[in-house]
């Protein structure tokens, strides 16, 4: 079952958006690596924004069936995370003045989007309203996924830091991506700001979720609760250690990448452990699918 | 393919056709350039002129009357140099029409410079054009060729790696500092030693925005002298460990048999740096900084050989890029020249 908007089904819109992200990634990489040209931010930003608008239409079309955010299965969770990461790049990214961030973000979007489209069992056909009457549960889920989008971009900038640091350490500073990557100090600052942003959003999301959790302790599965707390604690510890300068910038970057990978895996685990057609009377099942 | 001579031409005496001693003979000071301009203007067959006179290149761009040949320009130039015209012809390039436009684009983009891709020439060509324009020596053709030529040269510099990467050691070090710290305003630099190479690096850092400098020497008097001259805080080399954590970039060029900065010193100062990167530039021979210093995260150590290798690689990359850049110059010159020819035909009737 699919929802048609402007002549295309929701998934078709998302496919077209994915093609735009893939084209942006290929064009940007070719421009930097082969033509040795700086990938102009306006041109990459324009393409990524175009893809994001197409994806927004696709997600909106799908959301119309629920009357809310489309966060009912793993396909939708991944798509919403990708959408959030791209939104961060479009609205916050220009302040970072990192010319390659658009190329990296479109690559990230392309990989995850293709994965979610190709693995068809991720998109099980749950098309019922999933958040009950409470808009707060939906806000909790959307914010949690949005924080994952921020952490996704943080993973990309952490990878950029490691690439740049390695190039400088190995003295391999002619050619490759080196001329197009920002300075070490700028990347360290961007990483710290992104972690702080993601952490604050995740904390707000969990605070909202906690309010409902204490009203109905059975509404959240133990595995989901444990995974959520573990992810939050891991990011909190990383942030704290970095603020106290107890963690080197290199270890910080690796930690950001590692936690994000673990968080994605835990998301999949939580999703698998959830009964697909559980009782809707309690929010437990659906809620457990929608957030980390 | 040889082309018919056109009224717009360039005579060039440069490193490609003339050895240094010949270029010395044909170099001109401002007075002589002024006199040459006056003679060119006095010649009724020459309607427009522009002289580009740099330390390594003398070029004369002219637009002559319809029935005039390049001979009248050569005669005027030989007269200015007070040499025989045949002698002059032996040491110059003469190009006209589209070839002259392509030549200008290649010169302005740095493709024909002795150090491939150097950026200074672009400013020199612009300054020469400004002089010609201000004094009314430039007319329709020169204005069109130079204005469009500048756009083409900029395109080449922006879209090919022909000007990318530094090719002298001090600038390579400064470029790397930029890749570590970004804006150099906030980075403090320390020069250990007061030698020439240290001075060049300090100057290069200052030109890229660095403002805080320390100058360390074994003698307080020498440190104060040089700090006054270069601009910075005088430091005693013996107290290095005390002030080292305050600096982000360290340029070491001290005459010493043993390393001045050791792994142990870096380890001790690391905690006080709160994770800020440290860029160590070892320009000393024997080396001033122990190899083990780069074992720490965020400590980047480059010695003379490392910097020289990067400079060589950058130069090689620039030379590789010349082929692509020449293709752009060729296409753009064709386009510019066709537009000029069309306009001339239109004006004729």
């Amino acid at each position: 079952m699919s929802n048609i908007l402007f002549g295309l089904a929701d998934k078709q819109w998302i496919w077209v958006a994915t093609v735009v992200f893939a084209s942006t990634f290929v064009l940007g990489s070719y421009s930097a690596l082969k033509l040795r040209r700086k990938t102009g931010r306006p041109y990459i930003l324009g393409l990524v924004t175009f893809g994001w608008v197409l994806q927004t239409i696709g997600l909106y079309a799908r959301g119309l069936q629920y009357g809310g955010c489309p966060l009912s299965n793993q396909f939708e969770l991944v798509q919403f995370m990708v959408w959030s990461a791209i939104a961060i790049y479009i609205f916050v990214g220009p302040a970072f003045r990192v010319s390659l961030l658009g190329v990296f973000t479109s690559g990230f979007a392309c990989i995850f989007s293709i994965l979610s489209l190709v693995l068809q069992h991720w998109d099980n056909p749950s098309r019922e309203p999933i958040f009950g009457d409470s808009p707060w549960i939906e806000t909790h889920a959307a914010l949690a996924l949005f924080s994952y989008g921020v952490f996704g971009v943080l993973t990309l900038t952490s990878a950029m830091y490691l690439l740049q640091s390695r190039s400088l350490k190995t003295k391999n500073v002619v050619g490759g991506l080196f001329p197009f990557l920002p300075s070490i100090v700028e990347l360290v600052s961007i990483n710290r700001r992104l972690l702080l942003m993601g952490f604050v959003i995740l904390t707000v999301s969990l605070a909202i979720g906690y309010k409902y959790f204490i009203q109905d302790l059975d509404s959240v599965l133990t595995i989901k609760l444990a995974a959520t707390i573990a992810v939050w604690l891991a990011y909190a510890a990383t942030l704290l250690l970095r603020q106290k300068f107890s963690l080197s910038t290199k270890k910080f970057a690796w930690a950001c990448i590692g936690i994000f990978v673990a968080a994605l895996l835990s998301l999949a685990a939580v999703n698998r452990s959830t009964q697909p057609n559980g009782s809707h009377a309690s929010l437990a099942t659906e809620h457990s699918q929608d957030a980390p | 393919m040889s082309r018919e001579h056109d009224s717009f031409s360039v005579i060039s005496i440069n490193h490609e056709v003339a050895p240094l001693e010949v270029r010395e003979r044909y170099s001109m000071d401002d007075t002589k350039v002024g006199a040459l301009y006056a003679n060119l203007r006095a010649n009724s067959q020459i309607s427009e002129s522009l002289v580009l006179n740099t330390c390594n290149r003398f070029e004369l761009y002219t637009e002559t009357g319809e029935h005039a040949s390049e001979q009248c320009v050569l005669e005027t130039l030989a007269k200015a140099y007070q040499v025989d015209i045949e002698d002059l012809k032996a040491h110059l390039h003469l190009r006209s029409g589209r070839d002259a436009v392509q030549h200008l684009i290649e010169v302005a983009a740095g493709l024909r410079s002795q150090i491939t891709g150097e950026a200074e020439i672009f400013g020199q060509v612009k300054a020469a054009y400004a002089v010609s324009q201000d004094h009314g020596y430039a007319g329709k053709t020169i204005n069109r060729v130079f204005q469009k030529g500048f756009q083409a040269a900029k395109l080449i510099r922006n879209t090919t790696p022909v000007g990318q990467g530094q090719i002298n050691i001090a600038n390579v070090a400064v470029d790397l500092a930029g890749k570590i710290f970004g804006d150099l305003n906030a980075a403090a630099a320390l020069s250990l030693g007061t030698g020439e190479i240290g001075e060049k690096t300090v100057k290069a850092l200052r030109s890229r925005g660095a403002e805080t400098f320390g100058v360390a020497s074994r003698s307080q008097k020498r440190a104060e002298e040089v700090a006054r001259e270069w601009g910075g805080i005088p430091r005693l080399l013996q107290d290095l460990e005390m002030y080292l954590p305050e600096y982000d970039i360290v340029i070491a060029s001290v005459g010493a048999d043993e390393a001045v900065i050791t792994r142990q010193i870096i380890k001790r100062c690391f905690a006080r740096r709160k994770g800020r990167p440290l860029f160590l530039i070892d320009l000393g021979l024997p080396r001033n900084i122990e190899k083990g210093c780069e074992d720490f995260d965020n400590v980047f150590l480059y010695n003379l050989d490392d910097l020289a290798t990067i400079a060589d690689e950058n130069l090689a990359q620039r030379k590789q890029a010349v082929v692509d850049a020449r293709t752009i110059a060729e296409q753009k010159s064709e386009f510019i020249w066709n537009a000029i020819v069309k306009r001339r035909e239109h004006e004729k009737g």
Side-chain angles (χ1 to χ4, degrees):
Chain A
M1 187 172 102
S2 59
N3 212 15
I4 308 280
L5 202 63
F6 305 125
L8 288 180
D10 47 22
K11 241 178 171 175
Q12 285 174 318
W13 281 108
I14 290 171
W15 264 114
V16 180
T18 306
V19 170
V20 174
F21 294 142
S23 311
T24 312
F25 178 67
V26 171
L27 278 173
S29 306
Y30 180 77
S31 173
L33 291 170
K34 185 76 182 165
L35 303 178
R36 313 294 311 143
R37 288 177 191 171
K38 280 193 176 173
T39 49
R41 271 191 297 273
Y43 131 74
I44 293 290
L45 185 65
L47 276 174
V48 172
T49 308
F50 178 56
W52 184 74
V53 170
L54 298 174
Q55 192 192 19
T56 306
I57 296 171
L59 288 175
Y60 178 74
R62 189 165 266 240
L64 284 176
Q65 296 171 11
Y66 305 130
C69 282
L71 299 168
S72 73
N73 59 41
Q74 205 163 339
F75 166 77
E76 290 167 5
L77 296 184
V78 170
Q79 282 298 329
F80 196 81
M81 182 196 72
V82 167
W83 180 89
S84 306
I86 298 282
I88 289 293
Y89 165 69
I90 294 170
F91 297 108
V92 185
F96 297 154
R97 302 171 66 82
V98 179
S99 61
L100 271 186
L101 189 57
V103 180
F104 274 61
T105 313
S106 54
F108 171 88
C110 165
I111 289 168
F112 279 98
S113 200
I114 287 176
L115 210 63
S116 69
L117 286 161
V118 169
L119 299 174
Q120 299 208 346
H121 63 278
W122 280 15
D123 191 18
N124 57 35
S126 164
R127 294 298 166 101
E128 295 167 31
I130 55 172
F131 296 115
D133 297 329
S134 172
W136 287 104
I137 296 289
E138 188 177 355
T139 307
H140 150 73
L143 281 178
L145 260 299
F146 195 79
S147 75
Y148 270 43
V150 179
F151 293 136
V153 178
L154 170 63
T155 302
L156 298 177
T157 53
S158 295
M160 283 183 177
Y161 169 86
L162 292 170
L163 263 177
Q164 188 71 312
S165 178
R166 189 178 156 72
S167 299
L168 282 161
K169 276 281 188 192
T170 57
K171 301 171 174 84
N172 189 12
V173 295
V174 178
L177 290 176
F178 182 79
F180 309 109
L181 288 169
S183 72
I184 291 284
V185 166
E186 283 161 342
L187 283 168
V188 167
S189 162
I190 290 168
N191 287 353
R192 197 183 56 79
R193 280 185 281 166
L194 280 173
L195 177 55
L196 196 61
M197 185 198 286
F199 181 72
V200 168
I201 296 170
L202 182 62
T203 306
V204 171
S205 156
L206 296 188
I208 295 169
Y210 176 74
K211 198 182 157 206
Y212 287 87
F213 169 64
I214 54 166
Q215 286 170 8
D216 180 4
L217 294 177
D218 295 331
S219 65
V220 180
L221 293 177
T222 313
I223 184 171
K224 182 198 163 192
L225 193 65
T228 305
I229 291 171
V231 168
W232 186 84
L233 278 177
Y235 277 122
T238 307
L239 186 62
L240 187 71
L241 288 172
R242 184 63 206 134
Q243 295 292 85
K244 291 179 77 178
F245 303 107
S246 303
L247 197 65
S248 76
T249 44
K250 189 177 168 186
K251 283 178 185 162
F252 174 80
W254 276 118
C256 291
I257 294 172
I259 297 170
F260 184 68
V261 172
L264 285 184
L265 291 175
S266 76
L267 190 70
V270 166
N271 199 56
R272 265 204 302 276
S273 69
T274 308
Q275 292 173 7
N277 295 311
S279 162
H280 182 62
S282 106
L283 290 170
T285 304
E286 292 80 6
H287 187 194
S288 67
Q289 287 176 334
D290 65 45
Chain B
M1 195 179 91
S2 67
R3 291 167 202 269
E4 210 175 297
H5 180 77
D6 190 273
S7 56
F8 175 69
S9 64
V10 57
I11 289 169
S12 176
I13 302 168
N14 57 56
H15 63 94
E16 293 169 67
V17 279
L20 187 60
E21 54 275 16
V22 175
R23 298 203 301 279
E24 277 171 349
R25 216 164 63 221
Y26 287 116
S27 73
M28 278 193 181
D29 57 22
D30 287 350
T31 318
K32 282 185 181 168
V33 171
L36 174 63
Y37 265 129
N39 288 338
L40 291 164
R41 177 171 271 183
N43 191 326
S44 60
Q45 291 179 300
I46 302 168
S47 54
E48 297 178 40
S49 58
L50 184 147
V51 176
L52 171 66
N53 184 36
T54 73
C55 54
N56 221 7
R57 174 180 296 278
F58 173 88
E59 299 200 330
L60 173 60
Y61 293 85
T62 51
E63 169 73 6
T64 55
E66 208 174 324
H67 303 294
S69 71
E70 75 270 20
Q71 193 65 19
C72 65
V73 182
L74 284 167
E75 280 167 7
T76 310
L77 192 57
K79 201 173 144 192
Y81 282 127
Q82 297 176 323
V83 294
D84 182 75
I85 196 163
E86 292 307 314
D87 183 36
L88 181 65
K89 273 182 174 174
H91 301 295
L92 57 79
H93 265 154
L94 174 69
R95 291 185 172 92
S96 68
R98 193 198 67 81
D99 292 344
V101 179
Q102 184 174 343
H103 176 87
L104 167 71
I105 295 170
E106 289 180 3
V107 167
L111 308 185
R112 290 193 170 270
S113 296
Q114 204 159 20
I115 299 167
T116 310
E118 57 101 3
E120 205 183 344
I121 187 70
F122 187 75
Q124 290 169 326
V125 179
K126 277 194 110 172
Y129 172 60
V131 170
S132 170
Q133 204 186 29
D134 289 350
H135 292 85
Y137 303 127
K140 270 183 193 170
T141 305
I142 283 187
N143 278 332
R144 180 100 188 151
V145 166
F146 275 73
Q147 284 164 12
K148 292 289 169 190
F150 290 143
Q151 286 174 8
K154 271 188 198 167
L155 180 80
I156 287 171
R157 293 197 71 84
N158 289 338
T159 59
T160 70
V162 78
Q164 273 176 23
Q166 298 296 339
I167 49 175
N168 83 52
I169 284 175
N171 285 338
V172 168
V174 174
D175 240 23
L176 289 170
K179 278 293 177 189
I180 296 168
F181 299 101
D183 190 352
L184 293 183
N185 282 343
L190 171 69
S191 173
L192 301 180
T194 54
E196 193 191 342
I197 195 157
E199 183 182 7
K200 277 185 183 165
T201 313
V202 165
K203 278 185 179 166
L205 283 167
R206 195 184 288 284
S207 73
R208 288 276 292 270
E211 290 169 353
T212 312
F213 290 94
V215 181
S217 174
R218 286 201 178 87
S219 116
Q220 181 70 27
K221 196 178 161 211
R222 175 74 182 145
E224 281 172 6
E225 257 175 41
V226 177
R228 245 193 322 274
E229 196 184 320
W230 297 0
I233 303 163
R235 300 286 195 179
L236 256 182
L237 195 57
Q238 294 85 316
D239 302 334
L240 178 65
E241 253 189 277
M242 279 169 57
Y243 54 78
L244 185 62
E246 297 168 25
Y247 292 95
D248 305 304
I249 303 164
V250 179
I251 309 135
S253 56
V254 184
D257 292 334
E258 286 184 357
V260 179
I261 299 180
T262 61
R263 197 176 184 281
Q264 285 308 312
I265 292 177
I266 295 295
K267 195 176 177 183
R268 284 195 289 270
C269 91
F270 214 61
R272 285 167 61 196
R273 289 195 53 76
K274 294 189 171 174
R276 255 185 91 73
L278 178 63
F279 182 28
L280 301 172
I281 307 164
D282 189 351
L283 304 176
L285 272 177
R287 279 179 285 180
N288 294 161
I289 303 173
E290 223 173 63
K291 184 100 177 78
C293 293
E294 67 181 339
D295 294 344
F296 299 94
D297 279 352
N298 263 357
V299 176
F300 304 98
L301 168 63
Y302 283 74
N303 62 35
L304 264 176
D305 275 2
D306 298 329
L307 298 173
T309 306
I310 295 166
D312 288 346
E313 286 174 6
N314 281 335
L315 187 60
Q317 197 184 51
R318 284 183 180 197
K319 284 184 174 164
Q320 266 183 355
V322 166
V323 180
D324 286 344
R326 286 228 157 100
T327 309
I328 298 174
E330 203 177 323
Q331 288 164 353
K332 289 288 167 188
S333 59
E334 188 83 45
F335 181 77
I336 295 166
W337 189 245
N338 285 345
I340 290 172
V341 170
K342 269 185 194 164
R343 201 163 71 172
R344 281 179 182 172
E345 284 167 0
H346 179 74
E347 282 170 357
K348 274 183 190 169

